[in-house]
Amino acid sequence: MSVPGTEANPLRVAIVGAGPSGFYAAESLLKSGQVVRIDMIERLPAPYGLVRHGVAPDHPKLKEAIAVYDRIARSPEFRYFGNVTVGRDLPVGALAAAYHAVIFASGAESDRRLGVPGEDLAGSYTATEFVGWYNGHPDFRDRVFDLAQEVAVIIGQGNVAADVCRILAKTVDELKHTDIAEHALEALAASRVREIHVIGRRGPAQAKFTAKELRELGELDDAEVVLDPAELELNPESLAEFEDRKGAGAKKNLEILREFAARPASGRSRRIYFRFLLSPVEILGQGHVERVVFERNRLSGGPFEQSARGTGERLELAAGLVFRSIGYKGTAMAGVPFDARQGVFPSRDGRILDETGAVVPGLYACGWIKRGPTGIIGTNKPCSVATVASLLADLAALDQVPKPGAEGLPVLLGADGLRVVSYDDWVTIDQAEVSRGAPKGKPREKFTSVDEMLEVLGAPRR
Ligand SMILES: Cc1cc2nc3c(=O)[nH]c(=O)nc-3n(C[C@H](O)[C@H](O)[C@H](O)COP(=O)(O)OP(=O)(O)OC[C@H]3O[C@@H](n4cnc5c(N)ncnc54)[C@H](O)[C@@H]3O)c2cc1C
Ligand SMILES: NC(=O)c1ccc[n+]([C@@H]2O[C@H](COP(=O)([O-])OP(=O)(O)OC[C@H]3O[C@@H](n4cnc5c(N)ncnc54)[C@H](OP(=O)(O)O)[C@@H]3O)[C@@H](O)[C@H]2O)c1
């Protein structure tokens, strides 16, 4: 027996989830100087997590990270096992026994609840499901969105809200040469949405858009921003935030919003309204969203600590559609400690902790399931590097026995009848998607069901 990381006893690591954080963890292990063998296990046949199913179809440049992940996936020490759900097809206990360490990089697949009456009325949707639907995620392809409504409300002012707003506000011509799912393009072509209200519970200085994404909402072919300059008045604490370097992004946003407010009406057919200091308290309607009731807020607290406090003043907005874009949330996995309030696997320096706060040997986390659902693609790199640093620091404390990896797990070898998707298989699916997209001038036409992807491989699922 020897410390893992040698030819005689390679360090065998399973990574659960093929999103950015999983790939950055793999990259960091490959660069560690140890002899490593990495098996990445992903519940969908397709890798890349939210880079494929979250990043907006009209932002192709942001998907360029995929080229980096593809290079990592082609390393001889790396193997990909797609179409395997850890915690369902493969118990965590069995996985942990077959590897020296398991890194969970399973992201945040659910969403936060608003917790107001009427939240689940027909016509009220989460951004998570809408984004998954237009991006062809198999879990969401059958969702139906009532785009026959003329007025939509988006709750939340982060970049996901900006994505949802842009997709609703763009014309078909602006979307048809992207990799948007065909079913979404067809539904959006028939959309009657004309007014989109993007609502923040705090003020314009606290909106979480990044400047580029905000500016883009003012650059659409057939939509204009309508903004009452009175909405942009700031309290002294917000002005103080602008004096600090931390407030630079917000200051830029305010300049953009002021420029929007100064624009004359252009007569474009869709209008985007920004409203601030409003919290939804109830969504009303007879079996379908008809109105949203808001409470006006004021800000309370010092610079960078301002929270929204209700004033008691209510106002209503007639709307037939609501998109709740208030943040994603991680989900539990059988066999892994879970903090249900935060929606994360509790961890310290990437080491997973049990309910007593003690480290669970050999289990690690990175990305959104470790930090919560914030941060751009690049934010996950230092996060995963830090987790791998902890793992490497623990080498002497890990089980010293050589581990079998996938060879010790019949399910990963297809023995269970599950059609496990290798990286070569994925390349075949990828090429088929690209070929399907070409006649339409699209970078790809995604397969939106697992069965369709497996059919490309000539394999029924079971
Ligand atoms: C709508 C949206 C748009 C975004 N757009 C941008 C953008 O334009 N630019 C940018 O820089 N950032 C963007 N981000 C942020 C970026 O996508 C995230 O920072 C990043 O994807 C988080 O990486 P992750 O690996 O932690 O999670 P994910 O990307 O979610 O990957 C997790 C993976 O784990 C898999 N998985 C889950 N459970 C299991 C299981 N039980 N077994 C096996 N596999 C499992 C999932 O299928 C998924 O593939 C966006 C985020 C969202 C939500
Ligand atoms: N193009 C890109 O780079 C891109 C695109 C999409 C996503 N992303 C990244 O992905 C991450 C997630 O984005 P996100 O938009 O989901 O999250 P986010 O940036 O955290 O924004 C969430 C929004 O919801 C609001 N909110 C939260 N709880 C609420 C409640 N109970 N009632 C009303 N409003 C509430 C927040 O307001 P408060 O501020 O008051 O909490 C905030 O405006 C971010 O880091 C984002 O930058 C990047």
Side-chain angles (χ1 to χ4, degrees):
M1 288 202 297
S2 62
V3 175
T6 60
E7 286 298 344
N9 186 10
L11 172 64
R12 288 200 188 270
V13 181
I15 297 177
V16 179
S21 65
F23 274 103
Y24 293 129
E27 182 182 46
S28 185
L29 284 164
L30 290 168
K31 288 181 173 168
S32 68
Q34 303 292 324
V35 177
V36 291
R37 301 286 181 269
I38 301 161
D39 290 342
M40 178 177 274
I41 304 159
E42 163 59 47
R43 78 175 177 94
L44 296 172
Y48 312 138
L50 284 169
V51 180
R52 175 175 165 100
H53 292 123
V55 172
D58 58 340
H59 279 172
K61 266 202 96 52
L62 296 167
K63 297 182 196 235
E64 284 172 6
I66 284 176
V68 174
Y69 308 151
D70 178 66
R71 255 197 321 277
I72 295 165
R74 291 172 192 274
S75 308
E77 302 87 356
F78 177 102
R79 291 185 297 184
Y80 177 75
F81 298 87
N83 197 31
V84 181
T85 301
V86 173
R88 187 193 70 186
D89 304 324
L90 175 54
V92 167
L95 186 65
Y99 292 86
H100 292 109
V102 181
I103 301 178
F104 293 92
S106 47
E109 299 209 298
S110 183
D111 37 77
R112 287 192 196 124
R113 299 275 302 166
L114 262 181
V116 303
E119 183 166 7
D120 297 316
L121 270 176
S124 169
Y125 311 105
T126 61
T128 315
E129 55 192 334
F130 187 61
V131 166
W133 172 75
Y134 66 63
N135 275 326
H137 191 300
D139 290 2
F140 302 104
R141 71 173 212 152
D142 295 326
R143 298 295 159 100
V144 177
F145 297 89
D146 181 6
L147 302 178
Q149 303 295 326
E150 291 200 359
V151 183
V153 164
I154 301 174
I155 311 288
Q157 293 189 328
N159 282 332
V160 173
D163 282 351
V164 169
C165 179
R166 222 177 45 254
I167 297 298
L168 287 172
K170 277 196 164 180
T171 60
V172 168
D173 280 349
E174 287 169 288
L175 294 171
K176 69 183 182 196
H177 295 307
T178 72
D179 70 359
I180 191 167
E182 199 58 27
H183 59 240
L185 192 63
E186 280 167 18
L188 288 163
S191 166
R192 298 183 55 204
V193 174
R194 288 294 169 269
E195 265 185 34
I196 305 164
H197 296 260
V198 187
I199 314 270
R201 64 177 167 181
R202 298 192 289 159
Q206 288 77 37
K208 290 205 173 117
F209 311 117
T210 42
K212 185 177 161 295
E213 279 60 33
L214 179 58
R215 196 177 295 112
E216 218 179 333
L217 294 176
E219 294 168 349
L220 308 182
D221 284 358
D222 196 25
E224 64 180 334
V225 174
V226 183
L227 185 45
D228 179 350
E231 292 271 356
L232 301 179
E233 279 166 23
L234 299 179
N235 63 356
E237 289 79 6
S238 298
L239 288 169
E241 290 176 7
F242 289 169
E243 299 308 311
D244 191 291
R245 268 186 50 205
K246 273 194 294 178
K251 198 170 172 184
K252 190 91 220 151
N253 279 352
L254 197 77
E255 282 166 20
I256 296 165
L257 290 167
R258 285 197 174 129
E259 192 268 314
F260 286 166
R263 288 185 187 180
S266 67
R268 290 187 168 90
S269 66
R270 291 174 186 173
R271 288 172 305 284
I272 299 169
Y273 295 80
F274 289 97
R275 307 289 298 273
F276 302 95
L277 293 168
L278 294 176
S279 280
V281 288
E282 194 166 5
I283 302 173
L284 298 170
Q286 294 293 326
H288 192 288
V289 176
E290 291 170 16
R291 296 187 315 281
V292 185
V293 184
F294 293 96
E295 180 172 9
R296 188 170 297 287
N297 296 326
R298 64 180 173 78
L299 293 175
S300 161
F304 300 110
E305 286 166 1
Q306 301 191 75
S307 59
R309 294 286 162 86
T311 62
E313 182 192 338
R314 304 247 162 149
L315 57 115
E316 276 191 23
L317 186 63
L321 271 174
V322 172
F323 292 94
R324 287 119 57 200
S325 183
I326 61 168
Y328 281 53
K329 195 166 183 196
T331 52
M333 196 183 294
V336 190
F338 184 61
D339 174 343
R341 213 170 60 82
Q342 304 291 337
V344 296
F345 294 171
S347 65
R348 193 186 315 122
D349 301 326
R351 298 177 179 95
I352 291 186
L353 306 175
D354 69 15
E355 60 285 354
T356 70
V359 168
V360 184
L363 300 194
Y364 300 83
C366 61
W368 278 20
I369 197 62
K370 168 183 162 189
R371 304 191 316 276
T374 58
I376 59 169
I377 294 167
T379 318
N380 297 293
K381 187 165 179 168
C383 173
S384 298
V385 168
T387 291
V388 168
S390 292
L391 191 163
L392 295 172
D394 294 346
L395 279 186
L398 296 176
D399 196 348
Q400 309 289 297
V401 178
K403 297 289 181 176
E407 278 61 34
L409 295 167
V411 62
L412 290 187
L413 304 177
D416 201 22
L418 194 67
R419 178 57 165 95
V420 179
V421 172
S422 67
Y423 199 73
D424 284 349
D425 289 336
W426 159 246
V427 170
T428 303
I429 297 168
D430 180 44
Q431 286 166 352
E433 287 189 345
V434 171
S435 304
R436 273 157 45 103
K440 303 175 192 169
K442 296 176 79 172
R444 70 178 60 241
E445 186 63 59
K446 287 178 191 166
F447 295 108
T448 57
S449 82
V450 170
D451 285 341
E452 279 174 339
M453 291 190 212
L454 298 185
E455 263 168 42
V456 174
L457 305 175
R461 180 146 204 249
R462 291 248 174 206

